[in-house]
Amino acid sequence: MMYALYLSAYHERKFWFSNRQELEREITFQGDSAIYYSYYKDMLKAPSFERGVYELTHNNKTVSLKTINAVQQMSLYPELIASVLYQATGSNEIIEPVYFYIGIVFGLQGIYVTALFVTSWLMSGTWLAGMLTVAWFIINRVDTTRIEYSIPLRENWALPYFACQVAALTGYLKSNLNSYGERFCYLLMSASTYTFMMMWEYSHYLLFLQAISLFLLDSFSLEQSEKVHEVYKIYIFSLFLGYLLQFENSALLVSPLLSFVIALMLAKCLQLNVKKGTFVAKIMKVINFYLVCTLTVTLNIIMKMFVPHKENGHMLKFLEVKFGLNMTKNFTMNWLLCQESLQAPSQEFFLRLTQSSLLPFYILVLITCFLSMIQVIFRRINGKSLKETITLEDGQIGERPEIIYHVIHTILLGSLAMIIEGLKYLWTPYVCMLAAFGVCSPELWMTLFKWLRLRTVHPVLLALILSMAVPTIIGLSLWKEFFPRLMTELMELQEFYDPDTVELMTWIKRQAPVAAVFAGSPQLMGVIKLCTGWMVTSLPLYNDDDLLKRNEDIYQIYSKRSAEDIYKILTSYKANYLIVEDAICNEVGTVRGCRVKDLLDIANGHVVCEEGDKITYSKHGRFCHEVKINYSPYVNYFTRVYWNRSYFVYKINTVISFQS
């Protein structure tokens, strides 16, 4: 509750939200966030819930010349649930829709940190670890969540459920759990897995990494196979139920998660019943590992051959270019490569984690748990069985299956985060949790002391003292250094001031015809859809090949193309108005070659880079500059009807014939 209230207070101070008009509030939702919130508004305006769902699933009022199933394509289940709750609870009489919407998201973030708190508590046995987890999470808020930048993002709705699933899985894997606790964890895990899958289109990829972690856990007999296979059944149930309720979403059928889990089930059926610890059993483990990998790839290929699907092929091409396996001049690929969230992490990211003392302790805990895990694995390979009860004096933290699962999972997530910075929002919260668990766990300190062969002081007593003293010292230092900063953030009254966009939206609502179609950058089109409801030619979404093609075509207004070329592109999408943004036309990029106009010139072959020198081959000037001068042939095709410091709006004329 405190964290949710903190986020609400910070959001109010950042945007001065309660003192804004509705239009100014809506402008704070940028890009794809604006699209998600606009559909929430549409649901509230619908005469009934059934009619609202029908209009979203057969939506032809958003993108020109295109009817889309917005619920399936944009995973709008959060908006459907929020609209139902808003009307069913009678909240329309006491609270504005926008406050109800963001309040739900902030409440979910409170559940998020609570789940991390519980997970750390389950692993360490002390609430002190949970407190330290939450403290690190909030202090490193820039790297743990995107909630303050884009509230309606799918991950902000989905990740709290994944955190609950991980907490339930952690409890389920514990070897000393009673039957009632095991049943509760299983039910919570089932519900949160399915909900997570419904909230986010990329959820099955994250669950695929989790399934790999459980497979490795099971391969070395670090946990009862029955428990792991029960989790696999949850995956299959969630995938097929999600497939049915997501309008037969074929992406779930061709997902690597489904192929992997089916391969695991088949491999289990094919395994011979041999005695554990024998040479044949060790050979079978290797064969089983190879069999699962081979079956997974084979099944995935077969599924893609027989199941019609629209998988994100552009993302596979992006990964090829990202890892240097391919080169391309394609605008969309190069534009994605230039996005900060899709590049490797910066030095500032690691510096921030180090300044809050999170990264050093995480590395200590990870190395200790990993080495202890390797010891246990070698012990299993040599035929030694795990102890049924693990005592503190044993100093073997690597024998606990829930710890090993988290070690493998965090290594997989961390490996991806080291390649793509945007994935740090999946990894960093579990860094907070694992580091806090380690410094508060007497078992971890005892494992270290056993390796160091400490004899001068009683190791158990020292481990107990350090497990309380170290987190206390860390907590006090964090309180002294970062608590004043957090209070300062809440006290500072910031101001979100964007009068040019407000003026543009006001002009559109007052002057533009209701049936008008607007063309411009995808980010601006999202805001226009939210604030005015007018139809647009493109959207800031990157999971649809047709929308990606539209985005590239509309971006040509910033390229070196003729007026006739631009006119033909815009009229092919039935656009009536064109909006040129000065911020893009006169962009001064910090990364060389990553400005929109540079990427367009490269894609169109208008610029060739040779040994650092740029050679221009286009016979036309840059359209966004030339159209402002108001001379022929531009005035024949476009008439300026509105402008301010940031935007120039042109009406696309009706031209009967083209002259060469």
Side-chain angles (χ1 to χ4, degrees):
M1 285 293 293
M2 288 179 65
Y3 180 61
L5 292 173
Y6 165 77
L7 287 176
S8 179
Y10 179 77
H11 180 261
E12 169 65 26
R13 290 288 178 172
K14 183 178 181 180
F15 294 110
W16 207 7
F17 209 66
S18 60
N19 293 285
R20 296 288 182 184
Q21 298 296 322
E22 183 180 4
L23 179 60
E24 293 176 312
R25 290 175 184 171
E26 291 178 349
I27 287 174
T28 62
F29 296 102
Q30 298 290 319
D32 52 349
S33 296
I35 296 297
Y36 298 131
Y37 183 71
S38 72
Y39 287 122
Y40 167 71
K41 281 181 59 181
D42 291 345
M43 282 297 299
L44 295 182
K45 293 176 183 176
S48 66
F49 177 76
E50 293 79 9
R51 183 62 188 175
V53 172
Y54 179 83
E55 290 179 354
L56 290 187
T57 54
H58 301 79
N59 188 282
N60 58 2
K61 298 179 181 178
T62 299
V63 184
S64 61
L65 302 177
K66 190 175 177 69
T67 299
I68 59 175
N69 184 341
V71 177
Q72 178 186 3
Q73 189 165 341
M74 304 176 196
S75 300
L76 296 181
Y77 299 97
E79 282 67 33
L80 298 183
I81 295 170
S83 62
V84 169
L85 290 175
Y86 183 71
Q87 294 174 332
T89 58
S91 300
N92 51 342
E93 299 177 359
I94 56 175
I95 189 172
E96 295 179 56
V98 65
Y99 283 108
F100 186 82
Y101 184 85
I102 64 176
I104 292 178
V105 184
F106 290 154
L108 284 173
Q109 300 309 300
I111 294 174
Y112 193 0
V113 296
T114 302
L116 293 173
F117 178 100
V118 171
T119 306
S120 189
W121 190 348
L122 284 171
M123 293 167 65
S124 64
T126 172
W127 58 267
L128 198 59
M131 294 297 292
L132 189 56
T133 300
V134 176
W136 266 327
F137 183 93
I138 296 174
I139 289 168
N140 295 282
R141 192 178 67 250
V142 176
D143 301 305
T144 55
T145 177
R146 277 192 280 210
I147 187 67
E148 64 184 73
Y149 305 111
S150 303
I151 293 174
L153 283 182
R154 302 300 85 179
E155 64 190 60
N156 292 334
W157 286 90
L159 290 180
Y161 295 103
F162 182 66
C164 291
Q165 191 256 15
V166 170
L169 179 60
T170 302
Y172 186 68
L173 292 175
K174 289 176 74 71
S175 54
N176 57 349
L177 194 66
N178 59 46
S179 58
Y180 292 105
E182 189 174 303
R183 191 175 306 167
F184 172 77
C185 288
Y186 182 83
L187 292 174
L188 177 59
M189 187 166 40
S190 303
S192 53
T193 300
Y194 171 69
T195 309
F196 174 56
M197 197 170 290
M198 294 292 289
M199 292 291 175
W200 196 21
E201 61 180 315
Y202 299 115
S203 58
H204 56 90
Y205 292 112
L206 190 52
L207 292 173
F208 174 61
L209 292 179
Q210 187 182 74
I212 293 175
S213 305
L214 292 172
F215 169 61
L216 294 174
L217 184 67
D218 182 35
S219 295
F220 298 112
S221 300
L222 297 172
E223 175 60 12
Q224 299 173 5
S225 296
E226 289 74 16
K227 279 190 175 182
V228 174
H229 283 274
E230 285 298 321
V231 181
Y232 295 156
K233 292 176 184 177
I234 292 175
Y235 292 150
I236 292 181
F237 174 78
S238 300
L239 282 167
F240 280 109
L241 190 59
Y243 168 75
L244 295 175
L245 296 182
Q246 289 184 4
F247 307 93
E248 298 183 356
N249 184 6
S250 58
L252 296 179
L253 293 184
V254 299
S255 68
L257 175 62
L258 182 60
S259 302
F260 184 66
V261 173
I262 293 176
L264 287 167
M265 296 294 189
L266 291 174
K268 183 185 179 184
C269 295
L270 295 172
Q271 276 183 352
L272 297 175
N273 187 18
V274 295
K275 188 177 179 180
K276 292 183 178 181
T278 64
F279 178 75
V280 177
K282 296 172 186 177
I283 297 298
M284 285 302 300
K285 285 289 183 184
V286 178
I287 295 174
N288 179 63
F289 191 86
Y290 173 77
L291 185 64
V292 168
C293 296
T294 307
L295 278 174
T296 301
V297 176
T298 306
L299 286 171
N300 197 248
I301 293 172
I302 293 172
M303 294 290 280
K304 289 181 178 179
M305 287 173 60
F306 291 99
V307 177
H309 67 283
K310 293 182 180 179
E311 199 181 21
N312 299 323
H314 61 278
M315 292 305 295
L316 297 177
K317 296 176 184 176
F318 162 76
L319 293 174
E320 287 181 4
V321 178
K322 173 77 175 177
F323 295 120
L325 302 176
N326 198 358
M327 295 293 290
T328 182
K329 291 184 178 180
N330 181 270
F331 168 78
T332 302
M333 289 299 104
N334 288 326
W335 185 82
L336 288 172
L337 283 170
C338 285
Q339 299 305 300
E340 184 179 350
S341 61
L342 294 176
Q343 295 178 4
S346 61
Q347 292 183 352
E348 288 76 14
F349 167 60
F350 298 105
L351 184 61
R352 287 192 298 268
L353 296 188
T354 304
Q355 287 175 340
S356 63
S357 72
L358 173 60
L359 191 59
F361 283 107
Y362 168 74
I363 293 173
L364 171 66
V365 173
L366 182 64
I367 290 175
T368 305
C369 292
F370 181 76
L371 292 178
S372 181
M373 179 185 76
I374 298 299
Q375 277 187 339
V376 174
I377 290 172
F378 275 112
R379 197 172 295 146
R380 290 294 299 157
I381 291 173
N382 292 329
K384 297 180 181 178
S385 60
L386 295 175
K387 292 184 178 180
E388 292 186 4
T389 56
I390 305 167
T391 61
L392 181 59
E393 289 80 1
D394 294 330
Q396 286 295 336
I397 199 168
E399 290 192 359
R400 290 173 55 188
E402 71 273 18
I403 305 299
I404 305 309
Y405 156 71
H406 280 287
V407 169
I408 298 172
H409 200 188
T410 191
I411 290 174
L412 292 176
L413 288 175
S415 302
L416 294 175
M418 295 304 103
I419 300 170
I420 300 175
E421 185 173 12
L423 296 177
K424 69 182 180 182
Y425 300 106
L426 303 177
W427 178 61
T428 316
Y430 296 97
V431 170
C432 300
M433 184 269 298
L434 198 69
F437 138 74
V439 297
C440 296
S441 173
E443 289 179 74
L444 183 125
W445 295 109
M446 192 62 199
T447 302
L448 277 174
F449 296 154
K450 195 167 184 181
W451 291 345
L452 297 173
R453 297 182 180 178
L454 185 67
R455 299 183 185 278
T456 54
V457 183
H458 197 285
V460 174
L461 179 62
L462 186 58
L464 291 170
I465 293 173
L466 287 177
S467 65
M468 291 185 289
V470 173
T472 303
I473 293 170
I474 295 172
L476 291 174
S477 63
L478 294 178
W479 178 278
K480 182 178 180 181
E481 183 175 356
F482 292 98
F483 184 74
R485 299 185 192 179
L486 296 176
M487 290 299 101
T488 303
E489 286 180 352
L490 290 180
M491 296 302 294
E492 286 182 351
L493 185 61
Q494 304 179 42
E495 187 172 6
F496 180 79
Y497 188 64
D498 191 2
D500 293 343
T501 305
V502 172
E503 290 173 6
L504 174 64
M505 299 303 148
T506 304
W507 180 87
I508 292 173
K509 293 172 75 172
R510 291 177 179 175
Q511 302 295 330
V514 176
V517 178
F518 283 83
S521 71
Q523 288 72 26
L524 181 61
M525 294 302 99
V527 179
I528 288 176
K529 170 64 178 71
L530 168 60
C531 297
T532 69
W534 265 243
M535 196 176 290
V536 295
T537 57
S538 59
L539 291 175
L541 299 169
Y542 311 105
N543 59 354
D544 183 87
D545 290 336
D546 180 61
L547 287 176
L548 287 172
K549 180 66 169 62
R550 284 172 176 255
N551 292 344
E552 184 174 350
D553 288 343
I554 302 301
Y555 265 132
Q556 295 297 325
I557 63 178
Y558 301 105
S559 68
K560 296 178 180 181
R561 300 279 292 271
S562 66
E564 184 178 344
D565 288 346
I566 301 300
Y567 180 83
K568 287 181 178 179
I569 290 172
L570 296 175
T571 53
S572 69
Y573 293 119
K574 301 298 182 182
N576 305 116
Y577 290 90
L578 167 66
I579 303 177
V580 176
E581 297 175 61
D582 247 9
I584 300 177
C585 191
N586 301 316
E587 183 181 3
V588 181
T590 54
V591 181
R592 184 181 180 183
C594 275
R595 297 180 300 181
V596 168
K597 52 188 178 182
D598 293 338
L599 297 173
L600 287 167
D601 291 344
I602 293 170
N604 296 334
H606 294 159
V607 168
V608 178
C609 298
E610 294 181 357
E611 297 180 359
D613 298 326
K614 291 186 177 181
I615 306 171
T616 304
Y617 285 101
S618 177
K619 63 180 180 180
H620 301 288
R622 196 168 301 282
F623 175 83
C624 63
H625 288 150
E626 301 294 323
V627 74
K628 295 176 185 177
I629 303 176
N630 285 334
Y631 68 85
S632 183
Y634 295 91
V635 292
N636 298 333
Y637 301 107
F638 308 97
T639 301
R640 188 164 65 191
V641 293
Y642 174 80
W643 70 94
N644 58 31
R645 291 174 299 178
S646 302
Y647 305 103
F648 293 79
V649 182
Y650 296 87
K651 189 177 187 302
I652 301 171
N653 300 331
T654 304
V655 179
I656 299 174
S657 61
F658 294 101
Q659 299 179 0
S660 57

